[in-house]
């Protein structure tokens, strides 16, 4: 095991069999060995600074019906909402005061917001907060639309590939969605010039360790600037309501592996990780993550943006989450910093 971990650390790559070997044989002792290396790698690139992204969940309308997701169109129990440009800007104002210099606009695939609407929101944020980055997380749109968002000033785009196996993709999504289109979107975003984030859920229904090994190979090949990974957590109104959640251990392992695969990538310690374990986000940082994404959405809508059950922070004011996270990071020797936290290519492997 040590030899394989050393190879990953030194070459930033492994083949499928080697990934499978780690995934199958990983235990507490090898964990200590791997996390020491992944943590040191993150420290080398970012020091003990943790970047923040203020997450604004601006719509929970969605045209899609992904089987795992609580805001899918087929969930008739979901109470739907949309935020106006002014409401979004009010979130940014709060976030800016709290020290956030990246705003993430996340929503379901909601074509109520035309390209012009999205562009108007991007331009208003950029005009009001010129030292801030804007990240979009609004799903699959056309190449032309992506180009227009970029021209309007959007800096980054998050679009998880969810699984890099065609068959698995079909088990998680309805026929209207395809892995090939998802990947095409990712390549379009990259070609346009966005800092791009992809990623996948850990422990999603039907996921095998072969699938995970393929995900790692895809991530290495695509080389995104950001990689989002969190445990799958069931939502009561979906067909996966009774499926088990993904595990803390496997999620941490994957954070550690991806840190070694792409040393200077931006990796969030996700809210989902904080949901399955009360210290999940701290553990994610200690495994090699370097980003947290506190919720900036108005408290009145937070519970409605429910992708999975028992999501944390849905009752807290933005300032409380900011303090809470600062304290949590302090408790493990890290600090939240006031910084856009852009991707920096680095030869400091
Ligand atoms: N559990 C965990 N993560 C989920 N997501 C969607 N539904 C769930 C769930 N039930 C993730 C998807 C999506 C991101 C915004 O949230 O990976 O890309
Ligand atoms: Fe929201 Fe701790 S981060 S309450």
């Amino acid at each position: 095991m040590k030899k394989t971990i050393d190879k990953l650390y030194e070459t930033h790559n492994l083949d499928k069999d080697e990934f499978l070997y780690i995934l199958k044989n990983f235990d507490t002792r090898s964990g200590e060995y791997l996390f020491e290396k992944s943590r040191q790698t993150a420290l080398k690139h970012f020091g003990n600074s943790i970047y923040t992204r203020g997450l604004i969940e601006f719509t929970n309308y969605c045209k899609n019906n992904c089987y795992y997701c609580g805001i899918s169109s087929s969930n008739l129990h979901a109470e739907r909402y949309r935020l106006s440009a002014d409401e979004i800007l009010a979130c940014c104002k709060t976030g800016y005061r709290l020290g956030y210099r990246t705003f993430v606009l996340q929503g379901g695939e909601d074509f109520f917001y035309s390209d012009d609407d999205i562009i108007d929101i991007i331009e208003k944020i950029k005009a009001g907060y010129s030292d801030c980055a804007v990240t979009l997380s609004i799903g699959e749109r056309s190449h032309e639309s992506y180009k227009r968002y970029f021209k309007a000033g959007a800096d980054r785009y998050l679009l998880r590939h969810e699984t890099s196996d065609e068959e698995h993709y079909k088990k998680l999504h309805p026929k209207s969605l395809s892995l090939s289109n998802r990947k095409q979107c990712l390549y379009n975003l990259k070609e346009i010039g966005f800092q791009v984030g992809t990623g996948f859920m850990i422990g999603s229904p039907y996921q095998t360790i072969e699938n995970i090994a393929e995900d790692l190979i895809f991530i290495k090949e695509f080389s995104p600037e950001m990689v989002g990974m969190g445990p799958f957590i069931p939502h009561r109104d979906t067909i996966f309501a009774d499926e088990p959640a993904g595990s803390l251990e496997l999620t941490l392992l994957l954070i550690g592996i991806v840190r070694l695969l792409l040393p200077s990538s931006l990796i969030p310690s996700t809210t989902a990780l904080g949901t399955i374990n009360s210290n999940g986000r701290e553990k994610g940082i200690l495994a090699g993550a370097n980003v947290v994404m506190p919720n900036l959405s108005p408290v009145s809508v937070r519970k409605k943006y429910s992708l999975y059950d028992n999501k944390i922070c849905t009752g807290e004011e933005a300032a409380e989450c900011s303090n809470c996270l600062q304290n949590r990071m302090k408790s493990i020797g890290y600090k939240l910093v006031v910084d856009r936290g852009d991707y920096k290519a680095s030869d400091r492997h």
Side-chain angles (χ1 to χ4, degrees):
M1 178 63 93
K2 272 192 175 174
K3 244 177 69 187
T4 315
I5 295 172
D6 286 342
K7 181 172 175 195
L8 173 59
Y9 178 61
E10 281 152 24
T11 66
H12 314 295
N13 208 357
L14 291 179
D15 63 27
K16 187 170 176 184
D17 285 339
E18 292 164 329
F19 282 132
L20 284 172
Y21 177 78
I22 296 188
L23 291 166
K24 281 183 189 157
N25 296 295
F26 189 74
D27 58 14
T28 317
R29 200 139 65 89
S30 44
E32 271 171 36
Y33 192 70
L34 189 148
F35 294 137
E36 177 65 24
K37 292 198 183 308
S38 54
R39 186 163 55 240
Q40 289 307 328
T41 302
L43 283 167
K44 193 162 69 182
H45 288 270
F46 309 102
N48 68 344
S49 296
I50 301 297
Y51 296 143
T52 55
R53 307 348 186 155
L55 183 64
I56 304 169
E57 300 154 333
F58 71 100
T59 171
N60 72 348
Y61 281 84
C62 190
K63 71 174 178 57
N64 293 333
N65 179 24
C66 303
Y67 303 145
Y68 46 81
C69 181
I71 63 166
S72 92
S73 57
S74 67
N75 183 4
L76 302 178
H77 298 298
E79 237 188 279
R80 306 286 169 173
Y81 72 90
R82 292 186 174 108
L83 299 185
S84 66
D86 283 347
E87 289 171 310
I88 294 170
L89 284 162
C91 297
C92 296
K93 189 171 178 185
T94 305
Y96 193 87
R97 273 205 217 116
L98 293 170
Y100 306 154
R101 295 295 179 267
T102 290
F103 300 116
V104 181
L105 294 172
Q106 185 174 90
E109 291 201 7
D110 181 6
F111 283 82
F112 172 85
Y113 296 87
S114 65
D115 284 350
D116 288 340
D117 294 330
I118 299 288
I119 287 165
D120 178 59
I121 295 167
I122 297 167
E123 288 178 344
K124 284 185 170 141
I125 298 177
K126 285 293 196 172
Y129 307 95
S130 58
D131 55 342
C132 292
V134 170
T135 302
L136 298 177
S137 179
I138 57 173
E140 298 181 0
R141 295 214 176 194
S142 70
H143 186 276
E144 183 55 31
S145 298
Y146 287 158
K147 236 166 68 185
R148 293 187 62 203
Y149 306 153
F150 188 71
K151 235 181 103 201
D155 303 274
R156 310 189 193 120
Y157 205 105
L158 305 177
L159 183 67
R160 291 187 181 175
H161 67 283
E162 311 295 359
T163 173
S164 50
D165 181 88
E166 291 277 1
E167 290 309 308
H168 187 215
Y169 198 91
K170 284 187 199 147
K171 291 180 182 163
L172 299 178
H173 302 96
K175 280 203 186 74
S176 53
L177 294 173
S178 73
L179 179 59
S180 58
N181 193 54
R182 179 62 55 108
K183 286 189 173 172
Q184 188 57 54
C185 286
L186 285 166
Y187 284 105
N188 290 347
L189 289 161
K190 199 170 210 190
E191 182 248 315
I192 290 165
F194 283 99
Q195 295 171 45
V196 182
T198 193
F200 62 104
M201 289 177 287
I202 316 304
S204 60
Y206 306 108
Q207 184 183 56
T208 63
I209 55 169
E210 275 79 14
N211 295 154
I212 296 178
E214 295 285 352
D215 286 322
L216 292 170
I217 290 166
F218 172 69
I219 285 172
K220 181 64 187 180
E221 175 203 300
F222 184 66
S223 271
E225 284 77 16
M226 303 167 282
V227 187
M229 292 165 294
F232 159 76
I233 303 173
H235 185 288
R236 70 189 105 80
D237 296 325
T238 63
I239 57 168
F240 293 151
D242 296 324
E243 298 290 328
S247 86
L248 172 75
E249 290 73 22
L250 188 54
T251 306
L252 296 176
L253 170 60
L254 286 158
I255 289 174
I257 292 177
V258 172
R259 171 58 64 214
L260 296 177
L261 271 182
L262 301 172
S264 53
S265 61
L266 303 160
I267 304 178
S269 197
T270 59
T271 303
L273 192 53
T275 298
I276 60 160
N277 183 284
S278 56
N279 294 317
R281 285 166 301 176
E282 293 88 318
K283 292 178 200 282
I285 299 296
L286 293 172
N290 72 309
V291 171
V292 290
M293 300 176 69
N295 197 325
L296 261 188
S297 312
V299 174
S300 57
V301 306
R302 283 190 190 186
K303 282 199 172 39
K304 299 178 189 162
Y305 199 84
S306 163
L307 309 184
Y308 48 81
D309 288 338
N310 305 318
K311 188 174 153 198
I312 53 169
C313 296
T314 56
E316 319 293 330
E317 293 290 343
E320 294 173 59
C321 284
S322 170
N323 282 332
C324 168
L325 272 173
Q326 188 66 270
N327 289 333
R328 285 172 180 272
M329 294 302 118
K330 229 183 252 168
S331 76
I332 52 168
Y334 289 77
K335 60 175 196 290
L336 301 182
V337 291
V338 180
D339 195 307
R340 279 173 51 121
D342 282 297
Y343 176 81
K344 293 176 199 73
S346 171
D347 50 16
R348 285 187 302 158
H349 287 325

